[in-house]
Amino acid sequence: MTAHVKPKALDNFAARDFRMLIDGVWTEGSGPALERVAPGHGVVVSRYPAGTKADAERAIAAARKAFDDGPWPRMTGAERSNILLRAADLIAAKADELAFLDCIESGKPISQAKGELAGAADIWRYAAALARDLHGESYNTLGEGTLGVVLREAIGVVSIITPWNFPFLIVSQKLPFALAAGCTTVVKPSELTSGSTLLLGEILIEAGVPAGVVNILTGTGPEVGAPMTTHPDVDMVSFTGSTGVGRLTMANAAQTLKKVSLELGGKNPQIVFPDANLEEFIDAAVFGAYFNAGECCNAGSRLILHKSIAAEVTARVAALARKVRVGDPLDPTTQVGAIITPQHLDKIGSYVDGAATAGASVALGGTALDLGLGQFMAPTILSGVTPDMAVAREEVFGPVLSVLTFETTDEAIRIANAIDYGLSAGVWSRDFDTCLTIGRKVRAGTVWMNTFMDGASELPFGGYRQSGLGRELGRHAVEDYTETKTLNMHMGARTGWWMPR
Ligand code: NAD
């Protein structure tokens, strides 16, 4: 039986009514509000305006005007940096309130939400430092008469579209870098978890970001997100979400040839050799699979175990997974919270059923957990999974771990790469050659060696193949939001077609 924490009823909880931010003005929607039911408690906790295409057009016009005529792109890097640092301080000061909103709207555990807020504040500080360091290049090597200067200019108006699984963290992987570059923005959080992003709007106004520089829209993807990807006044789209909607976003943006940055799904392998430190790996396997209820692009959802240790390792992972505390997101001891919606819980269940029908064995869990309120899923392990099964190839986005086996290093690499995704991977071995061989040959944006899902603002993050396009974080993150301009400068008499040579 899995350890669990029954959710306490949220009696007399006053749902919060939010408004959108357009051109510095907090705005009601024209239609009925979207209601957010807390996935861990089953009651309405937030209401957001159902934004429309007209709202998106107003927000884009405001961002365009702020870019073309406003002060933000014309400030010095130091001035923008100071405002971003103030924003980071305010995020840290309001971290509990922001974490509470993320916890209650997404169903993630409160302790984890607080950790994400601390990470987000750090990213804002990192972006603030980069705002002062953005620079181009000069070439004094092109001959006596020529000086070449390569400028970095803010790309313009950026649409930022984010998913529900890390609401505040993901907007923080995009927005401060776009702002550091001098861009103006239209931001759309997921319609399931918009609260903390709207609160960020208040923080940015308090920090001194001028009106129109950050506009925040709420509403559904097709209604409000789609115009953000097609409008000719938008210069770039930065999207995090599913591979399907990412593909659609790229196709939409192609109509006006916008720059597109995509952070999409993953089906990440952890490859384990017999000489690995198994105790450390078992902990990382449970963390990698069940952190954020497995609703994580980086989830280590495929274990690829050497055949000689597969039975022992699977049993030890299952024994530890049984101890994971699943339940009330607001309880500080909870490790795994609720599943985002009842429909998503059904989808996870159908992957488990499909795998069992295809021949896999349910070594742990496999069912929903009835804890009285909300929707929860038991940590699940499927053994005997083969690379051709849907559960081994597709993103389940739930607490479901698939166990596959290998005999040779080449086979492990083949299995790891035999999917459409390439976001991240892990390798466990005490042998340096083994780790480096896997690190070089697995096609993924991040490869962890003897650890899993560690991160830092300094380290670029993003995916190969259908896991995305471009990289976030790291010292080049601000450059992603720029155009490159060449100034080719001539001195002295010029020679040419009709001029004397
Ligand atoms: P989703 O693709 O359903 O939605 C993401 C965002 O796109 C939401 O704001 C949604 O409203 C919007 N959207 C939907 N339809 C749209 C349209 N037609 N035009 C414009 N916008 C539209 O994803 P989700 O369910 O919110 O999030 C889960 C997915 O996100 C998973 O696939 C996960 O792997 C991925 N993800 C990736 C990363 C990463 O960094 N690689 C991080 C977190 C999540």
Side-chain angles (χ1 to χ4, degrees):
M1 178 62 189
T2 307
H4 60 254
V5 191
K6 272 185 179 285
K8 290 200 184 80
L10 293 179
D11 292 332
N12 306 320
F13 186 89
R16 196 160 166 167
D17 287 295
F18 288 95
R19 288 175 295 172
M20 299 180 282
L21 181 60
I22 302 177
D23 207 6
V25 178
W26 291 101
T27 311
E28 310 276 352
S30 42
L34 301 174
E35 292 197 324
R36 179 61 183 142
V37 174
H41 297 91
V43 293
V44 174
V45 286
S46 302
R47 289 187 206 93
Y48 326 115
T52 60
K53 186 176 179 211
D55 293 319
E57 285 168 350
R58 281 197 303 129
I60 292 165
R64 187 76 256 166
K65 189 163 176 301
F67 186 79
D68 292 344
D69 306 324
W72 187 255
R74 288 154 197 91
M75 284 181 186
T76 64
E79 286 168 328
R80 283 198 293 268
S81 176
N82 286 336
I83 291 174
L84 295 178
L85 286 172
R86 274 207 290 282
D89 288 343
L90 289 167
I91 290 167
K94 296 187 183 195
D96 283 352
E97 190 185 359
L98 292 160
F100 177 81
L101 278 171
D102 274 4
C103 163
I104 201 136
E105 291 181 359
S106 77
K108 68 174 68 233
I110 187 70
S111 58
Q112 182 194 316
K114 286 181 180 174
E116 287 168 27
L117 259 298
D122 182 67
I123 299 175
W124 281 80
R125 291 204 172 93
Y126 182 67
L130 294 181
R132 302 186 71 153
D133 190 48
L134 182 61
H135 61 275
E137 298 161 353
S138 64
Y139 286 86
N140 199 22
T141 51
L142 308 177
E144 290 252 304
T146 302
L147 178 63
V149 172
V150 182
L151 297 183
R152 288 284 183 177
E153 288 185 346
I155 195 167
V157 173
V158 182
S159 287
I160 292 178
I161 300 176
T162 59
W164 47 258
N165 59 340
F166 295 97
F168 199 86
L169 191 61
I170 288 176
V171 74
S172 300
Q173 289 181 196
K174 300 174 182 295
L175 183 56
F177 299 99
L179 293 177
C183 294
T184 61
T185 60
V186 180
V187 180
K188 192 198 98 59
S190 166
E191 57 273 36
L192 301 176
T193 55
S194 304
S196 63
T197 303
L198 291 164
L199 214 59
L200 175 62
E202 288 179 14
I203 287 172
L204 295 178
I205 291 171
E206 195 179 336
V209 174
V213 172
V214 177
N215 303 274
I216 305 174
L217 296 170
T218 54
T220 66
E223 184 67 31
V224 136
M228 291 168 59
T229 65
T230 52
H231 199 290
D233 280 346
V234 171
D235 299 291
M236 173 176 172
V237 182
S238 176
F239 173 89
T240 297
S242 60
T243 292
V245 179
R247 204 175 282 126
L248 181 65
T249 295
M250 196 169 175
N252 281 343
Q255 294 168 31
T256 48
L257 288 177
K258 300 182 196 317
K259 183 171 181 180
V260 176
S261 150
L262 301 172
E263 296 288 339
L264 309 175
K267 187 76 201 176
N268 315 296
Q270 292 223 59
I271 303 173
V272 190
F273 288 83
D275 67 342
N277 179 332
L278 289 183
E279 197 182 339
E280 300 230 330
F281 164 70
I282 305 291
D283 183 76
V286 173
F287 168 65
Y290 306 125
F291 171 75
N292 214 47
E295 294 168 329
C296 181
C297 55
N298 258 335
S301 53
R302 286 189 295 158
L303 294 191
I304 306 181
L305 306 178
H306 192 272
K307 230 175 200 150
S308 64
I309 52 166
E312 178 207 337
V313 167
T314 307
R316 286 174 66 181
V317 171
L320 191 59
R322 267 191 203 95
K323 296 186 187 164
V324 169
R325 289 170 64 84
V326 183
D328 192 343
L330 285 170
D331 188 304
T333 68
T334 293
Q335 292 170 296
V336 170
I339 299 298
I340 190 78
T341 58
Q343 296 79 355
H344 190 57
L345 181 67
D346 289 346
K347 185 177 161 200
I348 297 168
S350 65
Y351 269 109
V352 175
D353 295 346
T357 306
S361 308
V362 180
L364 182 74
T367 54
L369 277 180
D370 183 359
L371 300 184
L373 292 173
Q375 62 271 343
F376 299 86
M377 175 88 192
T380 295
I381 298 177
L382 300 171
S383 60
V385 174
T386 52
D388 53 303
M389 292 181 190
V391 78
R393 312 178 66 81
E394 294 170 20
E395 192 181 45
V396 176
F397 229 55
V400 178
L401 184 59
S402 294
V403 181
L404 298 91
T405 59
F406 73 95
E407 286 181 90
T408 65
T409 303
D410 282 350
E411 188 189 5
I413 293 165
R414 227 177 10 254
I415 295 171
N417 287 339
I419 51 162
D420 294 332
Y421 294 113
L423 190 59
S424 62
V427 52
W428 292 81
S429 166
R430 287 189 170 97
D431 185 81
F432 180 76
D433 291 1
T434 303
C435 287
L436 204 51
T437 301
I438 299 287
R440 282 180 155 172
K441 294 201 171 166
V442 169
R443 292 178 54 73
T446 298
V447 181
W448 286 286
M449 298 180 183
N450 298 316
T451 187
F452 200 72
M453 246 197 293
D454 292 341
S457 304
E458 289 82 349
L459 297 178
F461 176 71
Y464 279 42
R465 296 181 289 168
Q466 295 189 31
S467 285
L469 205 60
R471 294 290 178 269
E472 294 187 332
L473 302 177
R475 70 193 182 92
H476 299 295
V478 179
E479 289 175 10
D480 212 31
Y481 296 95
T482 63
E483 277 283 14
T484 303
K485 180 180 280 175
T486 297
L487 297 183
N488 189 326
M489 297 180 274
H490 185 73
M491 290 174 292
R494 185 179 168 276
T495 55
W497 264 22
W498 304 106
M499 311 285 287
R501 285 178 188 268

